Amino acid sequence: MNDKQMLLTVEFVDGVPMARILRFSGDLDSTNAEHVSEVVLSLLGEGVLHIVADFTKLRYVNSTGLGALLFANKKMKEAGGSMKIAGVNENVFEIIEIIGANTLLEIHRTMDDAIATLK
Amino acid sequence: MTLPVSTVLLEPFAEEPTVSVLRLYGDIGLEAITRISALVDDLVEKKRFHLLVDLSQVNFLSSPVVGALMGCRERLMRRSGSIALLAPKPELAEKLNLMGVNLVFPYYSNKNAFLRHFRWEYQSESRSLTLEVPAYAGYVPAIRRLIAGLLLSKGYTPREAFQLESIVDELSNNAIEHGLPIDKKFSISFSFDKSSIHLAVANGCKTLSSEAQELIREKFRNPCIIPGSMRGRGIALVKKIASDMTFRVDAQRVQVSITKMREES
């Protein structure tokens, strides 16, 4: 069991009913990546089209976690929506860059920047 | 043996021949400076550049003596040597701290603590850890954090610790998911010193055909990131982060080893 299990909470975005904020905290890795995919599929099932992933409190991500994010990104785009990521720490951003996922994911500096693109 | 109120002695350090011990007793005032300087001159002449100043029997150390020790430090460090303080009494330590001495001289509470630091810092002594881990992803986070914590505790940067955490994670998950560990476990051998880190992750596996072995070798040789693919990025990530990655694929065992050189500070 991952003792610092990633916590994932879902919040509404003021004024954008088809969007949700996904707040990550802790570590996104092989022990919980699948949970992220399930949450995204569930939101899509509810008609959500836009996701803003808040990484401000995400300490760590591995390649499986990034795979889940790419999966989520793909699913949102296929549904005609979008996925945005904000608040990425330096170490996590470096891993995203090395893997080349920065060219596939829409990354914003702050949550305000990301949410502004929805309005 | 009865010692005078103020005594300065130079002795060899039995546990570490390259270190000399300057043993001070009692109240150390101005009159000790000439002797301390002469003893350090003698050490420098004999090309013995590491000094441990034993303060455990000192009641009072005057400011000019502290100044003289600073001068000794300068002379020893110019020759890639070192000087450290051993076991000052709490009242003396408090006074030295107020003078900012703790910012200049490392203190050690006992000889073993000094030796651990000295051998790490000046003799490239390494730390090592070998683990046998159940082949279950749930065990990996604690192990990768343990290894990152060990690196941080020895002065590696948070970035270096994070990158090693990534390598441990990816290689462990690779062994669990793709290594087909026959005995449901894999091993991690980790060692590091002041300048580099070595890690090997290995697992036994069902007998692999020559073709299967070659496929695995090719995956390690040329890990490719397929755009749009959700998986298969771990080995490519490790190869980019590590300074060097080697692998050995036998019929019943797969091992991946990496070296990561420490970043220039």
Side-chain angles (χ1 to χ4, degrees), chain A residues 1-4 27 29-31 59-64 67-68 70-71 74 91-92 94-95 98-99 104, chain B residues 136-138 141 144-145 158-159 162-163 165-166 169-170 173 177 225 228-231 233-234 237 240-241:
Chain A
M1 190 68 182
N2 185 348
D3 60 335
K4 279 191 185 170
D27 296 3
D29 59 23
S30 310
T31 64
R59 185 195 73 88
Y60 176 88
V61 69
N62 75 357
S63 67
T64 312
L70 291 169
F71 171 80
K74 188 173 168 228
N91 290 329
V92 167
E94 191 171 7
I95 297 297
I98 290 170
I99 281 182
L104 302 169
Chain B
Y136 170 57
R144 65 169 199 250
R145 283 188 216 117
R159 179 173 180 262
F162 187 94
Q163 291 192 342
E165 194 174 339
S166 296
D169 197 9
E170 300 298 346
N173 287 325
E177 290 175 27
I225 296 174
S229 165
M230 303 303 137
R231 300 184 73 79
R233 293 172 159 80
L237 175 63
K240 287 189 179 177
I241 297 175

Side-chain angles (χ1 to χ4, degrees), chain B residues 130-143:
Chain B
T130 304
L131 297 167
E132 281 219 332
V133 187
Y136 170 57
Y139 285 93
V140 177
I143 293 165

Side-chain angles (χ1 to χ4, degrees), chain A residues 63 95 98-100, chain B residues 167 170-171 174 219-226 231-242 245:
Chain A
S63 67
I95 297 297
I98 290 170
I99 281 182
Chain B
I167 292 173
E170 300 298 346
L171 292 183
N174 184 68
K219 190 183 80 172
F220 290 136
R221 226 176 267 134
N222 296 306
C224 52
I225 296 174
I226 302 159
R231 300 184 73 79
R233 293 172 159 80
I235 296 300
L237 175 63
V238 170
K239 227 170 170 174
K240 287 189 179 177
I241 297 175
M245 186 183 98

Side-chain angles (χ1 to χ4, degrees), chain A residues 2 10 12 24 26 29 42 63 67 71 80 83 85-86 94-95 107 114:
Chain A
N2 185 348
V10 182
F12 288 93
F24 291 77
D29 59 23
S42 164
S63 67
F71 171 80
M83 184 168 132
I85 297 173
E94 191 171 7
I95 297 297
I107 300 175

Side-chain angles (χ1 to χ4, degrees), chain B residues 79-115:
Chain B
R79 293 163 175 87
S80 303
S82 67
I83 183 167
L85 306 183
L86 180 66
K89 291 176 182 171
E91 309 77 44
L92 179 61
E94 196 179 334
K95 186 188 166 196
L96 293 174
N97 290 349
L98 285 172
M99 293 164 71
V101 174
N102 55 324
L103 304 175
V104 180
F105 293 93
Y107 293 3
Y108 298 95
S109 56
N110 57 60
K111 280 183 185 176
N112 284 340
F114 165 76
L115 278 171

